[in-house]
């Protein structure tokens, strides 16, 4: 099975780890907003039993610095470039898309319509997609949240508004409390829940949308093995993005690609390329 | 696997890994946990990498429970270590902050050290740094710094590092923060640095 | 810590397992609808890595048979009785609530506004709550879905419509595919995802609603230990319901009550009262 | 823990548990899995309960990987077993369907048996039921039933049970379905019975 493998937005910095970025069929940037953002105060991450929580809060340099500083360096990687775009109003999304529309090196724009860690725009996902559509002729992927009662209807609405594809799914809101104090572990309170626990949720979302609209789908949420990736492909994804799994294994994309190619659905744990106590080596 | 007071010294065969610069760290797979855990290199005997681990939660407990022959993922060396180009090095560590010191002292070709611990049991770890001055709470490492401590290289809990910074403004300090990736991917490990949030795994863990 | 412990609706049949029901501070029935329902075809359940999926589809005898046959038998258990009510329109909910309003043995009505396994009513949760409110003076708990973008707003709406409490959370849609065939394991396709993976999601939902409305909250979703229960209480729940954990351990309520009382947040695995290979015994 | 052909015989100390009626089942904790797994009682030596397990997935593999001294949760006996008030019992089993037969034959004070297996390796499990007639695919148990097989008590894969039912309409058949709870709580294990969905764990697993 040959399926394009991307990183999930916010889960890789290609400029710090170019070798990792080169293992991907396309690199997706962390979400870029109109203005620079420092993001949320730490602690921003917490491991929970079956996944992790994050409340990064879209820390990014803003579209101006992104275009003038990051983009030229990213272009040199020789990896197709997707830019994730966020905002706090349809106008902001449109402004950022307009800027990116002029950038030759950007192959695709992913609209982050679903970050659980910031206040959201008042407009609907479809309205934002429509505004972005008017601002750029680049391929537009709408990234949606699993915390949506009728996701198929939302998928139809963003398709109607001009999306060329869907990215499914973003994190879902989760909370961890310190057992000793009863207070949230993350400074912001709740965060976005990602990792293994998300896989069946992602599969259901992809399945529902694949039946509702005729758009390509980048599937993500808890993918850590070829078997996981194959599951999302069977659910209807035509490409796979890897997020949380990259933290423990920067070479996850290559490993998962190999596992998919060998097409044997072995369970994740058995697939791990690991080092013995008597043989540590760098990943 | 060797107990050192309440800590465990974990020795891994080095394979193709570099040992890096003192103060750099490695991400170690903690069996059964989703995310790896950052650990400073403690010692680099030929062919090995040794880490000193304090079991304080599920990840560090899993690491301390490893048995010979077990295999774990290791990524590193990562981050920025100590600047070794110093004239009068003085090592200052609190608790598990002793972890990077043996390798650091070796790289410096020897250096005096002040170690602080919260109990006599913890203080047993001082054996990793013979000849160091050792204090146990309520006495604090900063009590021993004196007027002109030289070039301080320190690692320890946040309140200790803050106190050292106040006492010795130019000190090199190795900080900690929860880390998901250790290689700049997640923006989870930020600390406030000159009014902005900097990734400790990229710009640290050693900061001035 | 003394917290009332209930079963989660659909996760215990008190007539088949009366001794288990007597371990609870209140027994919650499986959702009852106006007309009898056979439910969805099997397979209806599948274990996944961090939880389980179900697509029971509200199999129940309908309100008439429930009131004439099940209710008298349930009343004899001597356990306070909550009846979960479902429907396919606000009128149906109201009809069922009206019938239950006459039943002395029913202490509380829980409105299941969030079953992922059946087609839902066209009305909003608030409209259904309002119709139910008009039909009964019994305490009304609104059971909401975590697949809701702005759950705090929904909580305010159902509070405004007359709900006396909230039950949080129902399952979230999940899908498992057979690796060999790529086809859904459950006959109906997707199902409701419950169990450990749900805990941080439930905590976030409870936390958000506890800050939004001044209503008591029955917390549920992945609770399997005293530490889990304490987490949902810290998030804002005043009672706890146990679902999936009852399947592996029918005495989970007593165990969790004891763990809460000893107030030490030990991890679930260590808490299990288990039988050694050399000592099997009935739970 | 004893291999029997490709199956494993799992012996648990009985503790306070009853052994129940043949055809009843127990829910066994499968270490590391969320849900317990239903298993028919195979043998009930004094002080023990023995189960024959075929490792076909994560749960049964975890059970087969248990080692002496391991502790698991056990719930049972559950469901409705075979009606032993029969005149001319004939046991018919396919594959792992042999599991309840040793205990059943003991309770009947002996009975003839026909066993079918999909390979010679699987057929090694026939040692649990000495003197049984054994067939291996492509031969089928129904090929041996004859004109008047008597009171058939059968357990095996669905197609086998369907074939036995066609051949012997009054046979007692022990069915399987995925089960989450085993005690009527989840409505997950339903089978179609006279036009309605009945919980197999409550109304079965033995049905006529
Ligand atoms: C660069 C770096 C080097 C380190 N070197 C070592 C070392 O050599 N030896 C060693 O034993 N430990 C070291 N640590 C700390 C170690 O990584 C953490 O103790 C470990 O990740 C905790 O994981 P856990 O699952 O055991 O506990 P958790 O459950 O994650 O944490 C237990 C408690 O400790 C707190 N905590 C978790 N991580 C950190 C952290 N990084 N800083 C401060 N508090 C934290 C949590 O909030 C919680 O209260 C280092 C950390 C960093 C960032
Ligand atoms: C009343 C009863 C008594 C049983 N007695 C025994 C016994 O004595 N020995 C024994 O080895 N097994 C017995 N089983 C079957 C056993 O419970 C299942 O094989 C087991 O639950 C599978 O779990 P798993 O995690 O290993 O595999 P899973 O991953 O759950 O399943 C592997 C494959 O088998 C299928 N499957 C799973 N459960 C069942 C089922 N119950 N019926 C049919 N197909 C299924 C799945 O669809 C999948 O294709 C019994 C089942 C029931 C209902
Ligand atoms: C630390 C972290 C940061 C993330 N940042 C972003 C982001 O900036 N924009 C975005 O669209 N999604 C972001 N996500 C969500 C991921 O892109 C992905 O949708 C989600 O994590 C599910 O995939 P996974 O389970 O493989 O991680 C982030 C996730 C994590 C864990
Ligand atoms: C098998 C099964 C059947 C369920 N049936 C119902 C139901 O009839 N009505 C309802 O409101 N919730 C139903 N639920 C949802 C539970 O009540 C509960 O909200 C959910 O499972 C989360 O809790 P848990 O993780 O402890 O199981 C069902 C859940 C399961 C697993
Ligand atoms: S730990 Fe991920 S960016 Fe530093
Ligand atoms: S297995 Fe739960 S009702 Fe039968």
């Amino acid at each position: 099975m040959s399926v394009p493998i991307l990183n999930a937005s916010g889960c890789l910095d290609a400029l710090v780890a170019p070798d990792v970025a080169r293992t991907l069929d396309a690199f997706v940037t962390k979400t870029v907003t109109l203005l620079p953002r420092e993001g949320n105060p730490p602690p921003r991450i917490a491991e929970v039993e079956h996944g992790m929580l994050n409340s990064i809060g879209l820390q990014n340099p803003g579209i101006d610095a992104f275009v003038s500083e990051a983009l030229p360096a990213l272009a040199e990687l020789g990896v197709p470039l997707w830019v994730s775009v966020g905002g706090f109003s349809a106008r902001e999304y449109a402004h950022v898309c307009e800027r990116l529309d002029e950038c030759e090196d950007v192959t695709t724009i992913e609209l982050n319509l679903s970050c659980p860690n910031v206040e959201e725009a008042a407009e609907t996902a479809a309205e934002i997609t429509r505004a972005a559509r008017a601002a750029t002729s680049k391929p537009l992927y709408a990234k949606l949240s699993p915390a949506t009662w009728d996701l198929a209807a939302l998928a139809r609405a963003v398709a109607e508004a001009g999306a060329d594809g869907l990215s499914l799914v973003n994190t879902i809101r989760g909370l961890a409390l310190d057992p000793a104090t009863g207070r949230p572990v993350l400074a912001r309170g709740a965060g976005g829940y990602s990792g293994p626990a998300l896989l069946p949720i992602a599969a259901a979302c992809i399945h529902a949308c694949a039946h509702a609209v005729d758009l390509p789908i980048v599937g993500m949420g808890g993918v850590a093995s070829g078997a996981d990736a194959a599951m999302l492909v069977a659910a209807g994804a035509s490409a796979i993005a890897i997020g949380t799994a990259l933290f423990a294994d920067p070479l996850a994309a290559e490993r998962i690609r190999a596992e998919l190619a060998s097409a044997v659905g072995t369970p994740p744990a058995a697939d791990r390329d690991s080092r013995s106590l008597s043989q540590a080596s760098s990943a | 696997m060797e107990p050192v007071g309440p800590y465990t010294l974990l020795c891994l065969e080095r394979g193709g890994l570099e040992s890096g610069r003192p103060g750099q760290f490695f991400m170690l797979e903690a069996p059964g946990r989703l995310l790896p855990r950052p650990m400073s290199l403690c010692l680099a005997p030929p062919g090995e990498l040794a880490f000193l681990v304090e079991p304080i939660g599920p990840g560090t407990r899993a690491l301390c429970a490893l048995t010979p022959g077990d295999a774990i993922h290791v990524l590193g060396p990562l981050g920025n270590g100590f600047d070794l180009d110093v004239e009068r090095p003085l090592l200052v560590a609190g608790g598990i902050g002793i972890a990077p010191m043996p390798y650091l002292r070796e790289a410096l070709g020897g250096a005096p050290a002040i170690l602080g611990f919260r109990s006599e049991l913890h203080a047993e770890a001082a054996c990793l740094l013979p000849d160091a001055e050792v204090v146990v709470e309520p006495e604090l490492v900063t009590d021993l710094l004196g007027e002109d401590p030289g070039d301080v290289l320190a690692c320890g809990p946040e309140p200790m590092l803050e106190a050292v910074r106040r006492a010795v403004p130019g000190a090199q300090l190795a900080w900690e923060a929860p880390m998901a990736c250790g290689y700049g991917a997640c923006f989870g490990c930020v600390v406030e640095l000159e009014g902005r949030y900097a990734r400790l795994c990229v710009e640290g863990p050693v900061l001035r």
Side-chain angles (χ1 to χ4, degrees), chain B residues 27-73:
Chain B
M27 295 298 284
L28 271 58
E29 174 189 0
R33 307 304 305 179
L34 178 64
L35 299 173
R37 300 297 195 270
M39 292 290 148
S40 311
L41 188 64
C42 180
L43 285 163
E48 291 190 347
L49 298 174
F51 301 91
L52 189 69
V53 184
E54 178 172 22
I56 58 156
T60 46
R61 278 197 299 268
L63 283 168
C64 291
L66 285 171
T67 54
D70 287 347
I72 60 167
H73 246 350

Side-chain angles (χ1 to χ4, degrees), chain A residues 29-54:
Chain A
T29 69
K30 180 149 188 71
T31 297
V32 180
T33 52
L34 185 61
L35 301 177
R37 287 178 56 82
E38 278 301 321
N40 294 322
R44 293 177 168 188
I45 50 170
E47 192 189 67
V48 292
E49 283 308 307
H50 308 289
M52 67 173 281
L53 305 178
N54 86 78

Side-chain angles (χ1 to χ4, degrees), chain A:
Chain A
M1 207 189 296
S2 168
V3 181
I5 299 187
L6 294 68
N7 66 296
S9 171
C11 299
L12 185 66
D13 182 341
L15 297 181
V16 171
D19 289 348
V20 176
R22 287 195 195 93
T23 68
L24 302 166
D25 295 298
F27 169 72
V28 187
T29 69
K30 180 149 188 71
T31 297
V32 180
T33 52
L34 185 61
L35 301 177
R37 287 178 56 82
E38 278 301 321
N40 294 322
R44 293 177 168 188
I45 50 170
E47 192 189 67
V48 292
E49 283 308 307
H50 308 289
M52 67 173 281
L53 305 178
N54 86 78
S55 64
I56 310 301
L58 304 187
Q59 176 168 358
N60 82 91
I63 188 66
D64 287 343
F66 175 80
V67 169
S68 61
E69 288 159 37
L71 197 51
L74 288 170
E76 284 185 11
L77 290 171
V79 178
L81 195 62
W82 291 36
V83 178
S84 168
V85 170
F88 300 87
S89 69
R91 273 179 66 108
E92 280 191 22
Y93 279 91
H95 275 312
V96 176
C97 288
E98 219 168 339
R99 290 294 307 276
L100 293 170
D101 193 55
E102 303 154 10
C103 304
E104 234 182 89
D105 297 314
V106 175
T107 60
T108 301
I109 294 175
E110 182 176 87
L111 298 174
N112 178 356
L113 303 170
S114 46
C115 180
N117 292 321
V118 297
E119 296 303 311
E120 73 269 25
E123 290 100 338
T124 65
E127 285 162 353
I128 294 170
T129 305
R130 192 164 296 117
R133 176 75 298 162
T136 179
S137 58
K138 295 205 187 274
L140 272 183
Y141 274 64
K143 183 164 179 182
L144 305 178
S145 164
T148 307
W149 179 252
D150 190 346
L151 192 62
L154 182 57
R156 277 188 293 264
V158 297
E160 169 80 13
D164 301 299
L166 301 175
S167 295
L168 299 171
V169 294
N170 212 318
T171 54
I172 188 165
R173 226 172 261 119
L175 176 70
L177 300 166
D178 185 325
T181 64
R183 307 202 36 203
V185 174
L186 302 184
R188 194 172 194 267
Y193 187 25
S194 66
L198 223 52
L199 187 70
I201 298 175
C205 290
I206 292 165
H207 195 71
C209 291
H211 284 78
V213 295
D214 191 23
L215 294 181
I217 296 173
V218 182
M220 72 196 89
V223 173
S225 71
D228 297 342
M231 165 109 106
L232 296 194
V233 170
S238 48
I240 293 295
I242 305 174
T244 302
L246 281 172
F247 301 156
D249 182 2
L251 297 184
E254 294 199 332
R255 175 172 56 76
I256 290 172
R257 192 177 291 117
E259 288 166 7
L260 272 173
S262 78
V264 194
T266 36
D271 294 334
R272 295 286 302 278
D273 161 45
S274 55
R275 274 79 192 184
S276 86
L277 261 189
S278 53
Q279 184 210 342
S281 73
S282 77

